[in-house]
Amino acid sequence: MISAMGDLDKGARALLHPFLPQFIEAFVHSLQVPDGVASDSGIKMEVLKAVTTLVKNYPKQMAPYMSSILQPVWTTLTESVTIYVRTVVNNVEEMDDPADSDGEVLGFENLVFSIFEFVHGLIETPKFRKIVRKSMDHLLYYVILYMQITEEQVHLWTNSPDQFVEDEDEDTFSYSVRISAQDLLLAIASEFQGDTTMGICSATMRHLQEAEVAKNSGTDPNWWKVHEACMLTLGSIKDLIIDQLHENKLNFDVSSFLQNIVLADLNLSVSPFLLGRALWVASRFTLLMSPEMMQRFLQSTVAGLQESQPPSVRISAARAIYGFCDYLKSSDNTQMILPYLEPIMHGLVTLAMQFAADVLALVMETIYTVLTVDKNFTASCETKTVPLTIAIFLKYNSDPLITALCQDIFKVYSQNEMAQPMLQQRLLPTIISVLQAPTDKVPPGMPSNCLDVLCTMVRHSPQPLHGLMISEAFPAAAKCTLSSEDNATMQSGGECLRAYVSVACDQISQWQDDQNRSGLWYVIQVANQMLDPRTSEFTAAFVGKLVSTLLSKVGPALGENLELLLRAVLSKMQQAETLSVMQNLVLVFAQLVHTQLDALLNFLTSVPGPTGASALEFVLTEWCSRQHLFYGAYETKVSTVALCKLLQHSINSNDSRLQDIQIKGDQIFSTSDGILTRSKCATAPERWTMVPVLVKMYKLIINELSNQVETNLSKSQIEDEEDEENDWEEEDNNEDNNEDGAAGDSSETVTLLSLLDKYSPASDYSGYDFDGDEEEDEEDQDALNDPLYKVNLQQYLTEFLQQLSQQPYYGTFSAHHSDCERKVLSTIGINT
């Protein structure tokens, strides 16, 4: 009952408080009773859940009882690890697991999960965080024991390499004591970084010494599991360890560890999982290796890729290769790995040909990383990697991860001058044949994927584009898009043609088919089809970018097609309901504000809107009603700066076409009808003020300035924070000096965000690292080339509003200020 209560209101808390001593006494007694008739792991699991709920939700009430609770919990933790290691990790004894009231067996692992959840509760509660800090060394010692590979996992991973990769992947749905223990380890590290490194190194050395005794005496054939867990522990927080060493805050000889433990274990044949872990952990500490040691590890890793090795070793070697390449590239020291690239690629290609699914995705990612090391090597192995990648792309076209990795490899070769001609010679005929094939002759999704690959090649190939890409690939892409009714194919086709317009506009303008229709004619037909009101709304998800690119690259040369395109955009806007689609369409007009403002205003005022008013009123109404919802840094700059230019134009030219438009301003909330219930909200119509559109634009500009200030302030706080270790020491002092042990608010706000970048990138070893420096998606090339991309929006809006506030007509705008808007303006020195 208590474990299901959660965070109740004060009334429920008051009802519980008088009975808390009796509950605590009963809980402590239940944890102390040995397993048997009166108690078992299932009962203790439920007790720990209840205690965790109380600790997290009622820390103040629980503080007096913590001393009596901690001892039996600690005893349960330490005694359970012995049982867990013997019955689950090493499987030398059988465990009689209890069953719940429904007859479902409760594995012993569930008790371990409950213990870890209790420790998580202590870490997350400022009042009790110091308890974990003070017992750090001993706690980490036992956590490492729970991180050992179990016999069940050894059997499963040996028979299923794909499962091995899946269980170790960061997005895995698997869950085990091993994973739970690593989650706890990283949670401890994120809260107590300095103490964690010292505690982990101390616990690791203690385990290694004990394992050495067991190995030499021959009493425990499973000693290697402790070694593997220790390597996993150190590798998981390698960045934190390296930082502490560089700051002289940690006394730990990593070089000795690599030499005496890791290299030594590589010479043993006790378990392939130990060999694989040794290769992986070595790749984590390349920064601290001597050149001689790195050569030895590179040789061992290449040997680990050989076909004669067990699959788990080969997979771990692929992970290690990724780590070595990534470090050597970032340190501009790729010369060290050049002699090994050929055998590495041979091993990876062989591995890719023998496995599928999860293993294949891992290998393809590693192949991509190896191909980015040296352009000459990349060109030399084109005959191996490109045919393989094409075959994999065709076979696994329904797998989005593998197709994306194939596309990355094609991109590398498109950018390689020496290999790019051969890539086109091999890949273009395949793409063209797929695009030209009848729909029922190719798998669903294949045309869309091929269009994406072609788009990548167009974007990253040298200019001018090869003749085959213009004369064969372009018309195939255009006709495939025009003949398709599939949303994905139409979207991919639109993006592919946008790439052609962006990088080869002159070439497609000059190309003509046998009926003398130019490439631009095809592009316009595709745009019109995507804007057709009869087609699905989602086909227009990216058409705005295509139209904008056409307008910027071709402009007046479009002739009458320009007006037809804009009319089609207006028509699509009338039926669009999805924000992303409407934003995409509005940005067509926003882009024209920057390039052809007068022509745009003339066109919109000459065309009627859906209500009988001008299309200008329709566009501005839709734009202003959604501007605050627009997303994307570049898109926000385009639309917001466009509003500034429209506002400035109207003021400078006294343009009545803009000044006469009235739209919704601020929503009106009435307080005269008492409490606003859901039923009242449902029945009462929304009420809004009506303001001139210029005033609405002005308000939206202030709102965006507020967003920019808040975003930049948040970034600044993270970047400029003080040394975290001092923060933790200060927090510890606050806790020790505070009667309740509460931490200061300032330290609480930086607990996790400020530390995420201290730990190993998850991309280096999927599954257990956490990383605040996650790689962003690639930016749109057309956006990168737009001068607006480099605009500092906060500075731009600040200067715009400051200049506007100095004008004699400013009172027209300031009369409409809300309290929030006045506060925002005051931050930039505008007081109204």
Side-chain angles (χ1 to χ4, degrees):
M1 180 186 72
I2 292 178
S3 59
M5 289 169 55
D7 188 11
L8 298 179
D9 57 25
K10 293 182 179 179
R13 190 175 305 181
L15 292 173
L16 176 65
H17 186 68
F19 301 98
L20 203 53
Q22 294 94 316
F23 275 119
I24 299 301
E25 182 180 355
F27 291 157
V28 170
H29 176 72
S30 297
L31 292 173
Q32 291 174 334
V33 174
D35 287 354
V37 178
S39 182
D40 56 35
S41 61
I43 294 176
K44 292 178 179 178
M45 176 191 70
E46 296 298 337
V47 168
L48 283 168
K49 285 183 179 179
V51 172
T52 302
T53 299
L54 293 172
V55 165
K56 294 171 67 173
N57 294 291
Y58 313 111
K60 185 175 181 180
Q61 290 84 350
M62 287 296 294
Y65 308 104
M66 289 306 294
S67 59
S68 61
I69 291 174
L70 290 173
Q71 184 56 52
V73 173
W74 179 256
T75 302
T76 304
L77 171 69
T78 56
E79 292 180 352
S80 296
V81 75
T82 303
I83 300 172
Y84 176 73
V85 170
R86 293 187 64 80
T87 61
V88 181
V89 173
N90 297 331
N91 197 24
V92 296
E93 293 181 5
E94 288 197 10
M95 180 70 182
D96 292 329
D97 292 323
D100 61 16
S101 58
D102 297 325
E104 184 178 348
V105 175
L106 298 172
F108 186 78
E109 295 93 333
N110 290 289
L111 175 60
V112 180
F113 294 146
S114 298
I115 296 172
F116 290 166
E117 188 60 33
F118 174 77
V119 180
H120 275 291
L122 296 178
I123 295 172
E124 295 167 7
T125 308
K127 188 181 289 292
F128 303 129
R129 195 173 292 144
K130 64 180 179 181
I131 295 174
V132 179
R133 181 196 295 274
K134 291 178 179 178
S135 58
M136 181 78 65
D137 291 4
H138 297 295
L139 176 61
L140 290 170
Y141 174 84
Y142 288 101
V143 170
I144 293 174
L145 288 174
Y146 282 110
M147 289 169 61
Q148 295 177 85
I149 296 177
T150 67
E151 282 299 307
E152 182 181 359
Q153 288 171 326
V154 169
H155 178 75
L156 178 62
W157 293 346
T158 300
N159 294 320
S160 176
D162 277 324
Q163 192 64 48
F164 175 55
V165 175
E166 165 64 22
D167 288 348
E168 305 265 287
D169 188 83
E170 62 178 348
D171 297 322
T172 182
F173 292 103
S174 304
Y175 199 64
S176 64
V177 170
R178 174 178 169 89
I179 295 175
S180 181
Q182 292 171 78
D183 287 343
L184 179 58
L185 170 75
L186 296 178
I188 293 171
S190 71
E191 296 294 337
F192 318 108
Q193 54 172 342
D195 293 333
T196 302
T197 50
M198 291 184 288
I200 283 178
C201 293
S202 174
T204 298
M205 295 310 299
R206 181 180 167 189
H207 278 303
L208 293 174
Q209 292 168 2
E210 293 172 356
E212 187 68 19
V213 173
K215 180 177 71 171
N216 294 334
S217 65
T219 57
D220 184 6
N222 294 301
W223 61 267
W224 66 268
K225 295 183 179 180
V226 175
H227 272 220
E228 193 274 343
C230 289
M231 293 180 193
L232 176 57
T233 300
L234 294 174
S236 295
I237 59 167
K238 62 98 175 179
D239 283 344
L240 181 55
I241 291 175
I242 291 173
D243 287 347
Q244 294 285 308
L245 288 171
H246 285 169
E247 296 171 7
N248 295 319
K249 295 180 179 179
L250 178 65
N251 182 21
F252 181 67
D253 191 346
V254 174
S255 179
S256 176
F257 167 74
L258 294 171
Q259 179 72 42
N260 300 326
I261 303 297
V262 181
L263 272 175
D265 285 350
L266 282 172
N267 294 322
L268 302 175
S269 301
V270 61
S271 169
F273 296 102
L274 178 62
L275 296 179
R277 180 62 62 201
L279 295 175
W280 173 81
V281 78
S283 72
R284 308 292 283 168
F285 290 100
T286 48
L287 178 64
L288 303 178
M289 289 183 188
S290 65
E292 294 77 14
M293 183 178 290
M294 186 175 294
Q295 291 289 343
R296 295 181 65 183
F297 277 117
L298 284 172
Q299 292 169 3
S300 298
T301 304
V302 172
L305 281 173
Q306 300 306 307
E307 195 170 356
S308 59
Q309 294 287 355
S312 59
V313 175
R314 299 170 72 189
I315 291 168
S316 298
R319 292 187 187 277
I321 290 297
Y322 183 100
F324 281 121
C325 290
D326 191 54
Y327 166 73
L328 292 172
K329 283 194 302 178
S330 63
S331 61
D332 196 23
N333 191 23
T334 55
Q335 291 298 320
M336 291 197 67
I337 202 172
L338 289 182
Y340 303 98
L341 289 180
E342 186 172 346
I344 285 174
M345 186 59 70
H346 176 75
L348 292 173
V349 168
T350 304
L351 194 58
M353 295 171 65
Q354 295 174 344
F355 293 93
D358 298 289
V359 176
L360 180 59
L362 170 67
V363 174
M364 294 299 288
E365 184 176 12
T366 307
I367 287 176
Y368 165 73
T369 302
V370 173
L371 290 175
T372 61
V373 171
D374 182 79
K375 282 192 171 185
N376 292 322
F377 168 76
T378 301
S380 70
C381 64
E382 181 273 337
T383 55
K384 294 181 180 179
T385 52
V386 170
L388 172 69
T389 306
I390 294 174
I392 290 173
F393 172 75
L394 294 174
K395 184 176 181 179
Y396 297 94
N397 66 88
S398 61
D399 188 316
L401 175 58
I402 291 179
T403 54
L405 291 169
C406 291
Q407 193 168 332
D408 287 338
I409 293 174
F410 294 143
K411 176 181 174 181
V412 170
Y413 276 104
S414 295
Q415 295 172 320
N416 189 301
E417 299 83 359
M418 295 172 284
Q420 184 259 347
M422 287 304 300
L423 171 71
Q424 293 189 1
Q425 184 176 333
R426 296 182 195 275
L427 184 55
L428 282 179
T430 301
I431 291 177
I432 293 169
S433 65
V434 171
L435 297 180
Q436 292 177 338
T439 305
D440 58 345
K441 300 297 183 181
V442 294
M446 176 73 83
S448 174
N449 290 333
C450 286
L451 288 166
D452 290 339
V453 170
L454 180 58
C455 179
T456 298
M457 295 179 67
V458 171
R459 287 284 185 188
H460 300 285
S461 295
Q463 299 176 28
L465 295 180
H466 186 272
L468 189 63
M469 295 186 73
I470 298 296
S471 62
E472 299 290 338
F474 171 78
K479 292 175 181 178
C480 175
T481 307
L482 285 170
S483 63
S484 176
E485 296 180 356
D486 176 60
N487 287 341
T489 300
M490 295 178 70
Q491 289 180 3
S492 297
E495 285 296 280
C496 181
L497 296 188
R498 178 165 75 96
Y500 271 105
V501 174
S502 178
V503 305
C505 187
D506 291 340
Q507 287 181 273
I508 64 171
S509 298
Q510 295 169 8
W511 175 84
Q512 291 183 335
D513 64 6
D514 53 5
Q515 299 180 23
N516 296 324
R517 293 179 300 199
S518 71
L520 279 181
W521 181 88
Y522 278 97
V523 177
I524 293 169
Q525 296 307 305
V526 168
N528 282 327
Q529 176 175 297
M530 297 171 73
L531 290 168
D532 191 328
R534 294 170 295 181
T535 62
S536 167
E537 174 181 353
F538 300 102
T539 61
F542 303 106
V543 70
K545 294 181 179 180
L546 174 59
V547 174
S548 294
T549 304
L550 264 174
L551 297 178
S552 65
K553 293 292 183 178
V554 183
L558 286 171
E560 64 180 12
N561 288 311
L562 172 59
E563 183 172 330
L564 293 175
L565 279 173
L566 294 181
R567 285 179 178 272
V569 173
L570 288 171
S571 178
K572 199 70 174 180
M573 284 180 64
Q574 294 179 34
Q575 67 168 179
E577 296 179 356
T578 308
L579 174 64
S580 58
V581 175
M582 182 61 81
Q583 173 178 320
N584 203 261
L585 297 171
V586 166
L587 285 177
V588 172
F589 298 107
Q591 290 281 12
L592 285 172
V593 169
H594 295 286
T595 58
Q596 302 181 48
L597 176 55
D598 289 335
L600 172 66
L601 292 176
N602 291 334
F603 166 75
L604 290 177
T605 51
S606 66
V607 176
T611 62
S614 70
L616 178 62
E617 180 173 335
F618 168 69
V619 169
L620 291 179
T621 300
E622 296 298 324
W623 183 351
C624 290
S625 66
R626 291 174 173 82
Q627 166 69 30
H628 65 290
L629 301 174
F630 286 176
Y631 57 91
Y634 170 72
E635 290 79 3
T636 300
K637 290 178 182 179
V638 171
S639 59
T640 307
V641 175
L643 289 178
C644 293
K645 289 189 174 182
L646 275 172
L647 182 58
Q648 191 65 56
H649 163 81
S650 179
I651 293 172
N652 292 343
S653 63
N654 196 26
D655 195 330
S656 60
R657 294 173 296 181
L658 290 168
Q659 295 173 352
D660 293 341
I661 297 175
Q662 297 278 322
I663 65 173
K664 292 179 180 178
D666 298 323
Q667 189 171 0
I668 301 172
F669 297 98
S670 176
T671 58
S672 60
D673 298 330
I675 298 174
L676 195 61
T677 62
R678 291 182 182 178
S679 60
K680 288 183 179 179
C681 289
T683 57
E686 289 184 352
R687 294 186 297 170
W688 297 79
T689 62
M690 296 300 294
V691 297
V693 70
L694 299 179
V695 171
K696 183 66 174 182
M697 292 180 187
Y698 171 74
K699 285 175 168 288
L700 290 170
I701 292 168
I702 296 176
N703 179 71
E704 186 53 44
L705 174 62
S706 176
N707 293 337
Q708 293 296 315
V709 170
E710 183 178 350
T711 300
N712 293 332
L713 182 61
S714 177
K715 292 179 182 178
S716 178
Q717 287 175 342
I718 294 175
E719 293 171 357
D720 299 337
E721 64 190 9
E722 297 179 354
D723 181 67
E724 292 90 345
E725 190 64 36
N726 292 335
D727 289 341
W728 300 129
E729 292 174 1
E730 180 181 349
E731 176 190 340
D732 204 20
N733 292 334
N734 289 338
E735 290 177 340
D736 292 338
N737 294 332
N738 190 314
E739 182 178 356
D740 291 331
D745 291 340
S746 60
S747 62
E748 179 67 11
T749 60
V750 297
T751 298
L752 290 175
L753 289 177
S754 62
L755 295 179
L756 287 177
D757 59 343
K758 291 293 185 182
Y759 302 92
S760 310
S763 58
D764 289 351
Y765 181 67
S766 300
Y768 310 115
D769 291 330
F770 52 94
D771 177 37
D773 199 15
E774 188 173 332
E775 186 177 353
E776 295 182 358
D777 292 337
E778 182 183 353
E779 292 282 1
D780 187 291
Q781 288 297 318
D782 293 334
L784 287 171
N785 296 330
D786 190 338
L788 279 173
Y789 182 82
K790 297 180 175 61
V791 169
N792 182 323
L793 191 54
Q794 179 179 337
Q795 180 180 346
Y796 181 94
L797 297 180
T798 298
E799 293 175 356
F800 176 82
L801 289 170
Q802 287 174 339
Q803 293 174 6
L804 185 65
S805 67
Q806 302 300 316
Q807 304 304 317
Y809 46 76
Y810 184 62
T812 306
F813 299 101
S814 61
H816 295 272
H817 284 159
S818 66
D819 291 339
C820 291
E821 290 165 349
R822 291 189 184 92
K823 290 179 181 178
V824 174
L825 292 172
S826 67
T827 63
I828 60 172
I830 300 176
N831 297 308
T832 59

